Amino acid sequence: MSIKNQYNMNNVQFKPEGQLNEINVQFSHKAQLGRPVNPNSARQKRLATAPGKKTGRPVNPSSVRQQRLAELEAKRIANGGTIKRGRPVNATSERQLRLAELAAKRAAGTLKRGRPAGSGKKANTAKKVEVVVVGTV
């Protein structure tokens, strides 16, 4: 029997509860998406021998990104948990004064909403031009 056929037979006869319990790997019926897990694979054996060990790329603590993240965390702690981002607001600018005035009118209920009402029908002020055709009929 070839290795490929043996692997396929293992998948068909695979009983996850029993085989995974033997190597201390948790099993859940909710997590049965994707292809079946081969408990005899080198990866599963390695994961079972080091439970809790993180997989993936290790973090380099002396990298520029990690140093920047550490500085940001220090600023966050110094400022009470928040970091201000972006351009600061100038409270005396023309736009901010206008927005404050609008907010005050809105709070007082005196802000007029919508498009201003017109004075009714507009008179047709376009000049009428008569066209006279001169020629033989």
Side-chain angles (χ1 to χ4, degrees), residues 19-36:
Q19 290 183 12
L20 289 177
N21 280 342
E22 292 171 7
I23 58 172
N24 298 325
V25 174
Q26 294 283 328
F27 174 77
S28 169
H29 285 285
K30 291 181 181 178
Q32 274 304 126
L33 299 174
R35 68 180 197 170

Side-chain angles (χ1 to χ4, degrees), residues 52-63:
K53 182 181 175 191
K54 287 192 170 189
T55 57
R57 184 176 178 204
V59 175
N60 180 6
S62 62
S63 69

